[in-house]
Amino acid sequence: MAASRPATPDQAAFLEELLKHHVLVATGVQGVYGKGDRFEAVRLGFDALLTRVAADHGAAERLRFPPLVPRRLLEDTGYLSSFPHLAGAVFSFEGTESDAAIQHERASAHQDWSEFQQMTDLVLTPAACYPVYPAIAARGRLAPGGILIDTGASWVFRHEPSGDPARMQTFQMHELVRIGDPEPVLAWRDEWAQRGLELLRGLGLDADLDNASDPFFGRQGRMLAASQREQALKIELLVQIAGPEPTAVASFNYHRDHFAGTHGVELADGATAHTACLGFGNERVTLALLRTHGFELERWPTEVRSQLWPA
Amino acid sequence: MAASRPATPDQAAFLEELLKHHVLVATGVQGVYGKGDRFEAVRLGFDALLTRVAADHGAAERLRFPPLVPRRLLEDTGYLSSFPHLAGAVFSFEGTESDAAIQHERASAHQDWSEFQQMTDLVLTPAACYPVYPAIAARGRLAPGGILIDTGASWVFRHEPSGDPARMQTFQMHELVRIGDPEPVLAWRDEWAQRGLELLRGLGLDADLDNASDPFFGRQGRMLAASQREQALKIELLVQIAGPEPTAVASFNYHRDHFAGTHGVELADGATAHTACLGFGNERVTLALLRTHGFELERWPTEVRSQLWPA
């Protein structure tokens, strides 16, 4: 089992409140929760709002992917070099009837049955945008001006058990992905960081932008993180949920030609495209709203309610 | 790799059409697809219709669960005895930096890196209702009359790669779960089978009900399947998608006290509850509608459009 990140007293107390009020539902595993009616009402309200705001700023193509992607996608993108500790691989049973009987016997006794499981060609989706790039590459060269994709709320996985309710192992990330020439792609990313800040502040959240880095693995990872910060490739939207540290609820990422080069996404003239993505963590935004405005949704400020649940 | 079920010529041709029109998007793994705008429009329209029909027939509590559940849930319910071939377990990396380097090197060369992966305490959700029972049990005894839960469209996994587009490995199942005394639970299941039939026929689908059984594993499984049929525990709604055989697009299942007994779900008087669930496969209903009415949604019959996309 992965070592669990200890929760701060504030995080532990917030989780207890969420469970007590059936906003979240415990499953027995840290970072994996059911969601009650109030949680879903807020989450769906925010996700629909984000979809409307996005539609006001460029026609996006809707493209949805499941919580699983081909293992080959992780192998090809270097994810296992940067984030081996966060990945999840799907294993399944391929044995005989007598193997199945032994596996079942062990499992029923909560003993180790892993030897009967073999790696499949599927892994858990690490980020909503990962399957987008090969799908776009498969269409051939981009039209002039590039493309904008909306993934909707998409399930992703990070293997980091934690007592902080805002750090889930399985959660929904709504991404927009912009693919095209370097300058408009970077400009789009920067405009959206500002738009995201206004969106969250308009919902009464005390949000701020900050230059950030990904949680790269190991010693080499610290250098990668420093380089990422230096080049301002990642901007995060931070909100105080359960403290003392603020939590990133959205990020705005410029990949240069990393993903397009890996998957062969080409501009109209055959040059390698540049890509950027932004992702709003549905669960984290929901928790930030619940922490800020309380659990009684009907008492939330009218200007927040009217945006989340327009008549 | 699991042996793939061969597709019939009709299934292979339908999949090719779906991919050609960007209704589905290939990922490189059979049974794992992205979905284009048209697919999602139909799927969301049907799922919203189902939610409205359900709301007209009993107040359900909304309870959502992620695509992963605790491994313990599979171990406790006998799933690995009945369906070892369909289960998926999540494995992750717990090693050192040098392990990570070797794992990455192997993965980049598409060699076997499974030895660096260890079983976690999570598995893929086998059916939308599985996490519902322990969540309800944890609340204590049921109120008189029992309870009705709506899981919404919930991601589930079945490890059965196939060239039939209607047999996906990862798909969305919208379930309703009824928990209470035996008689009203069974009556609810039977009413819903009839209601489901009317719902699908009202959408222009040539649907039929049939007594059915689950795809139990092995020789012993054939006896379980025969017993399940004999007791009429499982009713399926069948529609012709790609032939020659019709496809089950929904099922209506009476579990007697199986799940309630396993998880300790008790009636108001302390007796073990009975449970039933029904599930509509979002993707299969969507494919049935696309196969029946074609890919030009704007040409679908007005009475179908008005139900899926009310003004």
Side-chain angles (χ1 to χ4, degrees):
Chain A
M1 297 297 102
S4 163
R5 279 175 190 243
T8 67
D10 192 24
Q11 289 164 356
F14 186 44
L15 177 57
E16 204 179 302
E17 282 294 295
L18 290 162
L19 295 173
K20 190 176 111 188
H21 290 87
H22 301 290
V23 176
L24 293 182
V25 178
T27 67
V29 172
Q30 280 193 326
V32 180
Y33 304 103
K35 281 109 172 210
D37 199 54
R38 275 186 284 193
F39 191 100
E40 274 302 284
V42 176
R43 187 188 74 75
L44 291 170
F46 173 75
D47 203 62
L49 172 62
L50 176 60
T51 301
R52 293 195 302 277
V53 170
D56 287 344
H57 295 90
E61 178 183 334
R62 184 157 58 167
L63 203 50
R64 299 286 187 263
F65 286 94
L68 303 174
V69 293
R71 168 159 55 81
R72 186 142 191 143
L73 196 49
L74 275 203
E75 294 173 347
D76 284 339
T77 48
Y79 190 85
L80 292 166
S81 170
S82 299
F83 313 109
H85 54 309
L86 299 180
V90 178
F91 279 54
S92 280
F93 174 81
E94 305 278 0
T96 63
E97 290 193 46
S98 69
D99 291 335
I102 304 170
Q103 175 180 259
H104 170 59
E105 196 183 303
R106 293 230 194 121
S108 301
H110 306 300
Q111 291 165 353
D112 185 1
W113 46 281
S114 61
E115 69 176 273
F116 297 101
Q117 297 286 304
Q118 279 149 45
M119 187 175 254
T120 70
D121 50 7
L122 293 170
V123 296
L124 290 162
T125 304
C129 64
Y130 268 64
V132 170
Y133 309 109
I136 299 302
R139 296 182 188 174
R141 290 185 179 178
L142 292 169
I147 196 169
L148 177 62
I149 300 291
D150 185 336
T151 70
S154 189
W155 285 98
V156 300
F157 177 74
R158 308 278 163 87
H159 187 233
E160 42 178 357
S162 164
D164 177 2
R167 188 172 295 279
M168 295 188 186
Q169 294 196 66
T170 173
F171 56 96
Q172 291 160 93
M173 179 76 76
H174 187 149
E175 287 204 29
L176 296 170
V177 185
R178 180 78 174 87
I179 309 179
D181 286 289
E183 276 184 34
V185 164
L186 181 57
W188 175 87
R189 194 278 304 253
D190 290 340
E191 280 161 26
W192 256 104
Q194 210 53 47
R195 185 173 298 127
L197 180 66
E198 287 158 23
L199 175 64
L200 295 194
R201 286 187 175 168
L203 293 172
L205 298 180
D206 187 8
D208 281 301
L209 289 171
D210 200 8
N211 203 350
S213 62
D214 283 308
F216 293 105
F217 181 71
R219 276 165 304 168
Q220 205 188 340
R222 284 195 285 279
M223 289 188 296
L224 290 170
S227 157
Q228 191 182 28
R229 272 178 194 275
E230 198 184 328
Q231 298 176 73
L233 297 181
K234 187 178 198 72
I235 302 171
E236 284 181 343
L237 253 175
L238 301 167
V239 181
Q240 179 82 52
I241 302 179
E245 297 297 323
T247 299
V249 301
S251 72
F252 308 86
N253 309 284
Y254 179 41
H255 318 123
R256 301 183 182 277
D257 62 359
H258 171 67
F259 286 110
T262 298
H263 297 291
V265 184
E266 294 178 352
L267 299 170
D269 66 5
T272 298
H274 277 219
T275 66
C277 74
L278 65 90
F280 282 82
N282 266 227
E283 283 78 0
R284 285 187 174 180
V285 172
T286 301
L287 290 173
L289 288 165
L290 287 162
R291 182 75 196 227
T292 301
H293 300 305
F295 292 172
E296 304 299 322
L297 310 190
E298 54 285 0
R299 289 165 174 253
W300 285 17
T302 310
E303 64 273 22
V304 175
R305 291 181 52 86
S306 65
Q307 290 181 79
L308 296 180
W309 306 293
Chain B
M1 297 300 101
S4 164
R5 277 175 191 244
T8 68
D10 192 24
Q11 290 164 358
F14 185 44
L15 177 57
E16 205 178 300
E17 281 294 294
L18 290 162
L19 295 173
K20 191 177 112 186
H21 289 87
H22 300 291
V23 176
L24 293 183
V25 179
T27 66
V29 173
Q30 279 192 326
V32 180
Y33 305 103
K35 282 108 172 209
D37 199 52
R38 274 185 285 193
F39 190 100
E40 274 301 285
V42 176
R43 188 188 73 76
L44 290 171
F46 173 74
D47 204 61
L49 172 61
L50 176 59
T51 302
R52 292 195 302 276
V53 170
D56 287 345
H57 296 90
E61 179 182 332
R62 183 157 60 167
L63 202 49
R64 299 286 186 265
F65 286 94
L68 303 174
V69 293
R71 168 161 52 83
R72 184 137 193 149
L73 196 49
L74 275 203
E75 296 173 347
D76 284 340
T77 48
Y79 191 85
L80 291 165
S81 170
S82 299
F83 312 109
H85 54 308
L86 299 179
V90 178
F91 278 54
S92 280
F93 174 81
E94 305 278 359
T96 63
E97 289 193 46
S98 69
D99 291 336
I102 304 169
Q103 176 180 261
H104 169 59
E105 197 184 303
R106 296 233 192 115
S108 302
H110 304 301
Q111 292 166 352
D112 184 0
W113 46 281
S114 61
E115 69 177 272
F116 297 101
Q117 297 285 304
Q118 279 148 44
M119 187 175 253
T120 70
D121 50 6
L122 293 169
V123 296
L124 291 161
T125 304
C129 64
Y130 267 63
V132 170
Y133 309 108
I136 299 303
R139 297 181 187 175
R141 291 185 179 178
L142 292 169
I147 195 169
L148 177 61
I149 300 291
D150 185 336
T151 70
S154 188
W155 285 98
V156 300
F157 176 75
R158 307 277 164 87
H159 187 233
E160 43 178 356
S162 163
D164 177 3
R167 189 172 294 280
M168 296 189 186
Q169 294 196 67
T170 172
F171 56 97
Q172 291 159 94
M173 180 76 77
H174 186 149
E175 287 203 30
L176 297 171
V177 185
R178 180 76 173 87
I179 309 179
D181 285 290
E183 276 185 34
V185 164
L186 180 57
W188 174 87
R189 193 278 305 254
D190 291 339
E191 280 161 28
W192 256 104
Q194 210 53 47
R195 185 173 298 128
L197 179 67
E198 287 159 21
L199 175 64
L200 294 194
R201 287 189 174 168
L203 293 172
L205 298 180
D206 187 8
D208 280 302
L209 288 172
D210 200 10
N211 203 351
S213 61
D214 284 308
F216 293 104
F217 181 71
R219 275 166 304 168
Q220 203 188 342
R222 284 196 285 279
M223 289 188 294
L224 290 171
S227 157
Q228 191 182 28
R229 272 179 195 274
E230 198 183 327
Q231 298 177 75
L233 297 180
K234 188 178 196 72
I235 302 170
E236 284 182 342
L237 252 176
L238 300 167
V239 180
Q240 179 81 52
I241 303 178
E245 297 297 325
T247 299
V249 302
S251 73
F252 307 85
N253 308 285
Y254 179 39
H255 317 122
R256 301 185 183 274
D257 62 359
H258 171 66
F259 286 111
T262 298
H263 297 292
V265 184
E266 294 179 351
L267 299 171
D269 66 5
T272 299
H274 277 219
T275 67
C277 74
L278 64 92
F280 281 83
N282 266 227
E283 284 79 1
R284 287 188 173 179
V285 172
T286 301
L287 291 172
L289 288 164
L290 287 162
R291 182 75 196 227
T292 301
H293 301 304
F295 291 172
E296 303 301 322
L297 310 191
E298 54 285 1
R299 290 164 175 253
W300 285 18
T302 311
E303 64 275 20
V304 175
R305 291 181 52 84
S306 64
Q307 289 181 80
L308 296 179
W309 307 292

